[in-house]
Amino acid sequence: MKKRIGIVGSGTAGLILAYALKEHFNVTMIHQRSADEIRNGRVMSTQVHFGPTREREKRFHMPKWDEKNLLKSIHITIGEQKLFTGMLKEPALSVDQRLYYSDCMNDLMKNGVSFRQEKVSKDQAEALVRDFDLLIDCTGKSGPLFPFPIDEELSPFNAPQRKCIVGYFLGVEPLNPPGVNVTVLPGKGEMFEIPAKTEHGPVAILFIMAVPDGELDEFKGIKSAEAFTEQMKRTVKTFFPAIYNRIIEDQFTLCDKNGFLQIAITPTIRKPYLTVHNKPVIGCGDSVFLNDPITGQGCNLSSYCAEQLYETIIDYKHSAWNEQLGEDYWKRARPFVKEVTEWTNAMTKPLPEHVVGQLLQGANDQELADKIAEWFESPNKAHAAFFPTATIL
Ligand SMILES: Cc1cc2nc3c(=O)[nH]c(=O)nc-3n(C[C@H](O)[C@H](O)[C@H](O)COP(=O)(O)OP(=O)(O)OC[C@H]3O[C@@H](n4cnc5c(N)ncnc54)[C@H](O)[C@@H]3O)c2cc1C
């Protein structure tokens, strides 16, 4: 008989795990919202799936998306000075998670994965362990359900470092070549302009990362789509004139009334395994590896860790499942989690001088500009650039 795996949460981490594990095990997804509720609900994030993440999607036969709107570059501006456009090694893709998650859920349902719609409470979580040989907590930033211990070395903050202000907009002329447009305003925060595919066609996501209580933190108390759009227009006009110049006034609107979001995250990394009722419980994705979105690595890290967990579970396919499985998974995943986390945390602080030097040099050196773009698809390279003398253990 196939071993039974329960996955709580049908987001990036839970979905890729379900695809990877379904051929080998009896997989059940326990999820708070139905595919339709997700599709018709509020945007949850921004998302850029870089080359390695897209490779994993292919490896595990996840749904294919049309390749019309691939992102090929990273544009970097500091203040009002556009420095360069670095080309990615492999094109990236950004699909509204409402579309991506609901499509994957419907596809998995057709392909033998059981679905149980239920919001699991912390009290119920322990009992759920008894139903499976392994329970995986993929509850994202609202999790975890289990008290996975905090990894203090990788969790230096006890408060959010940025306010995340996100709107999915129509009526912004795209940049050429298509890509992620990063504007850094030292001391104030950042703007990420990200083209994305949605149910309403292509949009430009305008994603402001505001230093709390700083000049960009202008959206406090805004609840309606109309007020959000008006404030975004004002903020872009004042602080991001190069983007404002590409706004088509009479077309500038959210792609739907749920196309905006405000959130703030306290980055926290946890040791992702526990034993409950003599069975292993494992965490994957934001529930245990929660970083600030400033480097756009959350989906990519979730996907990486899901693959590491898959490989570990396959190694244990014919042996006993206990805490050792969790320990082996963490040993495999931690070096990369550490690189992503340390780079991401460094990005929330003033950029080190040697990094600013490289960015300025990238303006006159296309090879270096391309290497900097590669930081986002291979964050170990970003880590090496930020911490040139570090050794990762
Ligand atoms: C503003 C913002 C911008 C971001 N930008 C980027 C970006 O550009 N690039 C990038 O790679 N990442 C980005 N991220 C991070 C990325 O969205 C996450 O890292 C990624 O979605 C994590 O996947 P996950 O599966 O762990 O969690 P989620 O995608 O959050 O999924 C968790 C799932 O669990 C379900 N769930 C939660 N609690 C329960 C419960 N108790 N019972 C049952 N189900 C439950 C939820 O409904 C949800 O479906 C951003 C995040 C934010 C907030």
Side-chain angles (χ1 to χ4, degrees):
M1 210 174 75
K2 285 183 176 176
K3 285 182 175 157
R4 292 159 306 158
I5 298 182
I7 300 173
V8 191
S10 59
T12 312
L15 290 168
I16 188 169
L17 278 166
Y19 274 97
L21 296 166
K22 71 182 170 49
E23 304 305 330
H24 307 272
F25 305 101
N26 192 335
V27 175
T28 302
M29 295 214 83
I30 301 132
H31 58 106
Q32 186 176 342
R33 292 188 297 158
S34 70
D36 276 355
E37 285 165 342
I38 291 173
R39 202 181 192 103
N40 298 316
R42 183 167 289 271
V43 292
M44 293 168 274
S45 175
T46 73
Q47 58 288 308
V48 180
H49 291 198
F50 289 104
T53 298
R54 297 186 65 225
E55 271 308 308
R56 278 177 223 115
E57 290 167 343
K58 280 187 208 139
R59 176 182 179 191
F60 297 122
H61 308 292
M62 296 181 74
K64 290 192 182 112
W65 298 95
D66 75 49
E67 308 234 320
K68 257 191 259 153
N69 302 307
L70 291 176
L71 311 184
K72 299 185 174 145
S73 61
I74 307 280
H75 303 254
I76 301 278
T77 298
I78 297 190
E80 292 199 7
Q81 193 189 353
K82 168 90 188 251
L83 295 180
F84 58 79
T85 302
M87 299 308 290
L88 292 166
K89 276 212 151 130
E90 296 296 332
L93 185 63
S94 169
V95 178
D96 184 346
Q97 286 184 341
R98 296 177 293 182
L99 200 55
Y100 183 98
Y101 288 4
S102 54
D103 264 33
C104 288
M105 287 169 77
N106 288 330
D107 184 50
L108 285 168
M109 276 177 218
K110 284 190 222 135
N111 284 288
V113 171
S114 311
F115 278 73
R116 233 158 88 180
Q117 189 174 354
E118 170 184 339
K119 180 177 182 181
V120 182
S121 68
K122 285 192 179 169
D123 294 344
Q124 293 162 327
E126 257 198 64
L128 202 56
V129 173
R130 296 186 199 278
D131 295 353
F132 300 99
D133 297 296
L134 171 66
L135 191 66
I136 310 177
D137 182 338
C138 297
T139 50
K141 55 191 171 297
S142 64
L145 291 171
F146 295 90
F148 299 106
I150 292 178
D151 184 323
E152 300 290 347
E153 185 200 349
L154 300 183
S155 307
F157 303 122
N158 53 20
Q161 301 301 296
R162 292 288 188 277
K163 298 262 190 83
C164 305
I165 301 153
V166 175
Y168 282 48
F169 286 101
L170 303 171
V172 184
E173 291 275 8
L175 271 180
N176 199 13
V180 180
N181 181 23
V182 185
T183 306
V184 179
L185 298 184
K188 299 185 179 75
E190 300 78 19
M191 163 72 92
F192 293 80
E193 179 192 358
I194 307 173
K197 177 183 173 59
T198 71
E199 202 146 34
H200 314 279
V203 301
I205 302 176
L206 298 180
F207 176 13
I208 294 172
M209 307 269 318
V211 169
D213 299 322
E215 287 174 69
L216 290 176
D217 189 4
E218 305 188 296
F219 290 69
K220 287 177 192 163
I222 291 182
K223 297 269 189 289
S224 76
E226 294 72 27
F228 185 90
T229 304
E230 283 312 307
Q231 183 58 54
M232 184 58 85
K233 223 189 289 177
R234 281 194 294 275
T235 303
V236 172
K237 188 173 183 180
T238 311
F239 294 102
F240 306 100
I243 298 177
Y244 188 75
N245 289 340
R246 284 184 286 110
I247 285 183
I248 308 158
E249 276 280 343
D250 56 349
Q251 293 173 24
F252 187 69
T253 174
L254 287 165
C255 68
D256 63 89
K257 68 177 182 351
N258 288 319
F260 70 108
L261 171 75
Q262 294 204 59
I263 192 169
I265 282 169
T266 302
T268 311
I269 304 297
R270 295 168 185 271
K271 190 178 90 174
Y273 61 95
L274 281 174
T275 300
V276 179
H277 303 311
N278 289 322
K279 288 185 176 174
V281 174
I282 289 187
C284 191
D286 279 5
S287 65
V288 282
F289 313 130
L290 182 61
N291 279 311
D292 192 283
I294 194 164
T295 51
Q297 293 301 313
C299 295
N300 298 286
L301 183 62
S302 298
S303 155
Y304 173 86
C305 291
E307 186 175 50
Q308 297 310 309
L309 178 54
Y310 162 77
E311 298 287 2
T312 314
I313 295 172
I314 292 298
D315 283 354
Y316 277 75
K317 191 170 177 182
H318 301 295
S319 27
W321 285 4
N322 52 33
E323 189 145 331
Q324 190 63 44
L325 188 158
E327 226 169 285
D328 282 3
Y329 156 55
W330 189 215
K331 242 186 239 155
R332 281 178 197 243
R334 193 176 187 276
F336 190 71
V337 172
K338 182 172 159 76
E339 286 171 328
V340 170
T341 301
E342 289 182 343
W343 170 44
T344 303
N345 290 344
M347 284 284 288
T348 66
K349 299 185 183 140
L351 291 174
E353 253 174 55
H354 71 279
V355 171
V356 174
Q358 284 192 44
L359 294 175
L360 295 176
Q361 214 183 320
N364 303 311
D365 178 346
Q366 189 58 42
E367 207 178 308
L368 178 59
D370 295 346
K371 278 194 179 147
I372 293 169
E374 215 189 316
W375 291 357
F376 292 87
E377 52 193 351
S378 303
N380 55 327
K381 296 193 174 152
H383 188 274
F386 272 67
F387 307 100
T389 57
T391 327
I392 292 291
L393 296 173

